Each structure stands twice: as structure tokens, then as C-alpha cells.
Amino acid sequence: DSPFIAMEYVDGETLEDKMEGQLGQQETIEIVEQITQALKFAHKKGIIHRDLKPANILITKDGVAKVADWGLSKTTKEEANLTRTGMVMGTPQYMAPEQIMHNEFSAQSDLYSLGVIIFEALAGRLPFPHEDLVKSLQAHIKEKPPKLRRLVEDCPRWLDQLVGNLLTKDPKKRTSSAEEVLITLEAKTKHDKTVVSESIEFSKPSWLKSVAIVGIMFIALLAFAPSFFERNKKSNLGKLKIEKITLPSIDGLEIRFSGTARKVALTYTT
């Protein structure tokens, strides 16, 4: 009898396929959370992937992410003996500096690769987009990655900082564990999901527009019983201001009407 390996068939696509264009922030975070859960489990067992990249992330049709291709993985107890032949194992665009220079690996090496994946998914490009192999390797060792927020306008500061920490050159100063990444993601996304904003903006003052806006707000007042509103001393509809409304069923609803910009902005939590 010949030995064989039975592997799960995943009906879907790779993350590399999904990243042909830029992924949305929410979808990216959901995928990254699942990847990080897999890394957390593996790292606790003392297993390092060493070749984490979008082509090795399988996404089912139901949106479940699975980390595949553990062929280069090693346990933290094993010695890295590939330096004897001068070989560097991994994919250059996603390799941590310590892998490139010394063929050293740890959980932080996988986290560096995770940082590259997040950066690429959101920015639509690699942090070091060099086509030349040598230049790509040198960039991971020497070049400072660009700020994600400079490339992605709606990127929140916390996510930019998370990616920056993951891409730190020195593994001792890098994010310490997959669990730490998960704690950050879960805490921040839980907060961000509660805030939704919509706005209606008029460029020119108009009596009819002012009446329409007041009508909408009046209906809102009757329907949701506002706790606070304020009028300017002048009885000018265009100067009406409603500073804050708190709804019984939706905490934190705010309606603001600026007489100069003619803008109504609603912010509420879910």
C-alpha cells in the first residue's frame, strides 16, 4: 500500500482571486479575523506557517476562510537548517525580514505576512511593489512601508496602526501574538459597527428646501419624541438648529441643520 494524504475539498476561490480588485474594509476585516484565528490555533501548537499569502487562503462560497498549504510549516522546536544550502523558503513579497536575512522564524514572522496581506487587500497593491526579486527582498529589510491611510482614504487610524505594527522590521517590536491582533480587531470593529452616518446637503439657500427640511424634522420630532431642540433668536427657518435628539429605540441619534451650509446629518447607533 502506498501512503497518501486526504485533504478537504474547498469549493470556492483563493483570497488572491478575490483581491484582483480592492476589497471592502468590512469584508477584509472579516476574512482577516478568520485567518488570525487559524494562526492563533497553530501558534499555540507551536506551528509556524512560514508561507502565508493570499494564494494560500481559501475562501468558501459561504465566506469561510481557510489557511492552506502548510508544506513549509515548521514547529518552533525544529532547527532551521535551510541556511546550510543558502536557500530562503517562502514567497518574497510576503516574507518577514528575519526570514530573508537569517532564515529565522517565529509566530511574529507569520504576523508580518498577515500585515502584508491586510495592506494589499485594502490598498490594492503591495507595500513594496517591486517586480525585481532582489529589490523586493531588500525592501522588506530596509524600506519603511507607506502609511495605509495615505492610500486608503476611509482607513481608520487604528487599522493603519495595526498594519504598521505588523510590518515592523524588528520581530521583538512587532505585534506579539495572533491573539493580540484578534483582541484589537474585535474591540475596534464592534465599536465601528455601531456608527452609521447619513447626510443630505443643499448647496444654495432655498425657502422651499428649508420648509421641506423642517417638515422632515417635525415628523421625526413627533415620531420619536426628541429630548432637546433649540431655535435661534431670529425666526428664520433657514437658521433652525436641532442640536441633539435621543430616541427610545436608537441610542445617540443626532440631527443637525446648519443655516449656512444647509446640511442635515444623522448619526445613530445600532
Side-chain angles (χ1 to χ4, degrees):
D1 293 339
S2 299
F4 65 92
I5 298 176
M7 300 178 66
E8 176 188 7
Y9 171 71
V10 178
D11 187 11
E13 60 184 339
T14 67
L15 180 55
E16 185 178 48
D17 295 329
K18 290 184 72 69
M19 285 169 52
E20 289 182 359
Q22 284 181 244
L23 291 179
Q25 181 180 308
Q26 185 58 39
E27 183 179 13
T28 298
I29 290 175
E30 289 174 358
I31 292 173
V32 168
E33 281 184 315
Q34 296 180 70
I35 297 171
T36 311
Q37 286 281 8
L39 292 179
K40 176 184 174 182
F41 180 84
H43 292 169
K44 282 191 173 182
K45 300 294 183 180
I47 300 172
I48 312 301
H49 191 285
R50 296 204 310 163
D51 194 25
L52 194 67
K53 58 184 177 181
N56 288 340
I57 309 298
L58 306 180
I59 311 293
T60 70
K61 290 184 177 180
D62 295 328
V64 178
K66 297 176 179 285
V67 179
D69 199 354
W70 293 81
L72 290 181
S73 65
K74 276 188 174 289
T75 66
T76 51
K77 295 180 180 179
E78 289 182 275
E79 293 183 0
N81 55 12
L82 295 175
T83 51
R84 296 175 186 174
T85 60
M87 295 176 64
V88 177
M89 304 299 289
T91 304
Q93 292 85 350
Y94 302 91
M95 289 176 65
E98 63 271 18
Q99 284 181 278
I100 298 170
M101 291 187 294
H102 311 298
N103 200 39
E104 295 177 352
F105 59 90
S106 65
Q108 282 71 34
S109 306
D110 282 348
L111 295 180
Y112 182 93
S113 301
L114 179 66
V116 177
I117 291 173
I118 301 173
F119 188 104
E120 184 181 12
L122 293 175
R125 48 153 283 193
L126 290 163
F128 308 112
H130 299 293
E131 294 183 4
D132 182 77
L133 174 61
V134 175
K135 288 184 178 180
S136 179
L137 293 173
Q138 289 177 340
H140 282 286
I141 296 171
K142 298 179 180 179
E143 292 183 19
K144 185 177 181 180
K147 288 284 187 181
L148 188 57
R149 294 188 73 193
R150 294 181 180 177
L151 301 174
V152 184
E153 291 184 359
D154 62 344
C155 178
R157 188 178 299 277
W158 69 264
L159 186 54
D160 183 39
Q161 291 175 343
L162 173 63
V163 173
N165 291 338
L166 290 171
L167 294 179
T168 299
K169 305 295 185 188
D170 186 350
K172 294 180 181 179
K173 297 180 181 179
R174 200 175 298 152
T175 304
S176 63
S177 66
E179 186 171 9
E180 183 180 336
V181 176
L182 282 172
I183 291 172
T184 300
L185 289 173
E186 291 171 358
K188 296 297 184 180
T189 54
K190 182 178 180 181
H191 175 267
D192 287 353
K193 285 178 183 176
T194 64
V195 180
V196 181
S197 297
E198 299 289 345
S199 64
I200 305 172
E201 195 165 339
F202 300 111
S203 58
K204 295 181 180 180
S206 167
W207 182 82
L208 290 176
K209 289 175 182 176
S210 297
V211 171
I213 292 297
V214 173
I216 292 171
M217 292 190 292
F218 181 70
I219 292 173
L221 294 175
L222 292 177
F224 300 113
S227 60
F228 179 81
F229 72 91
E230 180 183 7
R231 284 181 181 271
N232 280 10
K233 293 182 179 180
K234 296 181 180 180
S235 59
N236 186 342
L237 292 177
K239 295 295 182 76
L240 175 64
K241 292 184 179 179
I242 296 181
E243 298 294 345
K244 183 176 182 180
I245 294 178
T246 302
L247 304 182
S249 58
I250 305 179
D251 181 34
L253 176 69
E254 294 184 6
I255 298 181
R256 290 192 179 92
F257 177 66
S258 171
T260 56
R262 296 304 192 273
K263 181 175 181 180
V264 176
L266 297 92
T267 302
Y268 56 91
T269 61
T270 59

